[in-house]
Amino acid sequence: MRGTDPVRPPTHNSPPARSGPPTHNDDVDWDSWPVEDYLAENYRQLHPSDAAVITHHSAFYRRFAPGSVARSLEFGAGPNLYPLMLAAAASRRIDAVEAGASCVAYLMRQRDRGPDESWQPFYALCRRLNPDLPETLREALAPVQVIHGDIRALTPGTYGSASMNFVAEGVTEDFAEFTEFCHRFVRSVEPGGHLVAAFMENMPTYRIGPASRWPGCPVNPEVVTEVFAPITERLAVTRIDADPTLPDYGDSGMVLLTAVRRRGGAPSAGRTPFPPERYG
């Protein structure tokens, strides 16, 4: 759910301006997410923006002693492996929660049969930045539990750390729903738990591949700060410029975040935990 490049006149990846009511997460068939098109457009090589996000997130994970986080979360994992790589040194277990069947199938193949060769340069950079990571990418993916489920069903306060990358702004066109997803992300960790995230900046509704249309909620550093500040502390929000080596989805760069869930008060009520049969 990511793309980047300066705002330009529309291209084949930029659909016409939306008219009518906004698209919400539940309006979308996430099982049909075009994994191969998405990977081909974004992750078959290591782009400068990937390196910038990896550098930012690696600094976050180096705060933790190896294996010191019992359970961490990738909130809306998609098919992107590098957030899972980054968590591997700190975390004894990594839950990759994903609603889309095609993304779940891809993640399970990568973990069980071995990762695509195109991910090796990503992992080489991750290991250069954090030598505590396992020697091989396959070892790094071993703690990953792939969970086919709705991230809104997570039990609050379950995790010691959580990561979210190009999700909340890429699953809805409604700002209130974007805010809800962000707050659920924060509440997924225990009070005092650690958070790291990346967002596409000013991303509109967009296309992947020749035709598929997906929702986008344009946000910027000020919006992200406003959404997270009331329920976090030690909040740090930065941005990186657009990457001209990637397709033009109409966005203007990326917004990066680290924070800690604010202490005090009981976790908000959530739905029941995922049953064991949903664990891959």
Side-chain angles (χ1 to χ4, degrees), residues 127-148:
R127 281 206 80 213
R128 285 199 298 273
L129 293 169
N130 187 355
D132 289 328
L133 284 168
E135 183 175 349
T136 69
L137 175 51
R138 189 156 193 168
E139 290 175 280
L141 296 179
V144 173
Q145 299 295 315
V146 181
I147 302 174
H148 188 188

Side-chain angles (χ1 to χ4, degrees), residues 232-253:
T232 64
E233 53 196 31
R234 293 162 56 186
L235 176 64
V237 177
T238 59
R239 69 173 301 280
I240 58 176
D241 290 333
D243 184 343
T245 71
L246 282 165
D248 177 9
Y249 295 97
D251 60 275
S252 58

Side-chain angles (χ1 to χ4, degrees), residues 6-199:
V7 175
R8 301 174 182 168
T11 69
H12 71 282
N13 285 75
S14 301
R18 172 178 55 82
S19 61
T23 299
H24 294 88
N25 180 76
D26 289 340
D27 299 328
V28 178
D29 177 14
W30 294 109
D31 288 343
S32 66
W33 175 259
V35 170
E36 291 305 322
D37 286 338
Y38 180 69
L39 292 171
E41 291 181 11
N42 290 277
Y43 292 115
R44 290 309 185 196
Q45 65 184 83
L46 177 63
H47 295 275
S49 57
D50 299 314
V53 176
I54 289 170
T55 299
H56 174 270
H57 286 17
S58 182
F60 166 83
Y61 283 109
R62 287 198 305 270
R63 302 173 185 175
F64 304 100
S68 61
V69 178
R71 192 175 178 187
S72 67
L73 168 67
E74 188 58 33
F75 187 95
N80 181 4
L81 295 192
Y82 73 65
L84 304 175
M85 304 174 193
L86 289 160
S91 306
R92 300 196 296 276
R93 168 176 168 153
I94 305 163
D95 286 356
V97 181
E98 170 57 41
S102 57
C103 291
V104 167
Y106 179 79
L107 290 172
M108 294 186 73
R109 286 197 306 272
Q110 297 298 292
R111 184 198 61 187
D112 297 342
R113 301 179 190 175
D116 294 341
E117 189 63 28
S118 56
W119 289 111
Q120 295 302 330
F122 292 79
Y123 193 61
L125 176 59
C126 291
R127 281 206 80 213
R128 285 199 298 273
L129 293 169
N130 187 355
D132 289 328
L133 284 168
E135 183 175 349
T136 69
L137 175 51
R138 189 156 193 168
E139 290 175 280
L141 296 179
V144 173
Q145 299 295 315
V146 181
I147 302 174
H148 188 188
D150 190 330
I151 50 183
R152 294 169 295 184
L154 290 166
T155 301
T158 298
Y159 297 95
S161 71
S163 167
M164 177 174 69
N165 294 277
F166 318 116
V167 174
E169 78 284 18
V171 298
T172 182
E173 295 175 352
D174 182 68
F175 178 74
E177 192 170 42
F178 165 80
T179 301
E180 176 194 353
F181 273 99
C182 290
H183 286 190
R184 287 181 182 274
F185 167 61
V186 173
R187 293 196 299 267
S188 71
V189 299
E190 61 196 3
H194 294 264
L195 304 157
V196 63
F199 306 84

Side-chain angles (χ1 to χ4, degrees), residues 175 178-179 182-187 195 197 199 220-237 255-264:
F175 178 74
F178 165 80
T179 301
C182 290
H183 286 190
R184 287 181 182 274
F185 167 61
V186 173
R187 293 196 299 267
L195 304 157
F199 306 84
N220 57 34
E222 292 74 24
V223 168
V224 170
T225 300
E226 179 182 352
V227 167
F228 279 84
I231 56 174
T232 64
E233 53 196 31
R234 293 162 56 186
L235 176 64
V237 177
V255 180
L256 307 178
L257 171 149
T258 58
V260 170
R261 179 180 170 182
R262 190 179 298 278
R263 297 178 186 271

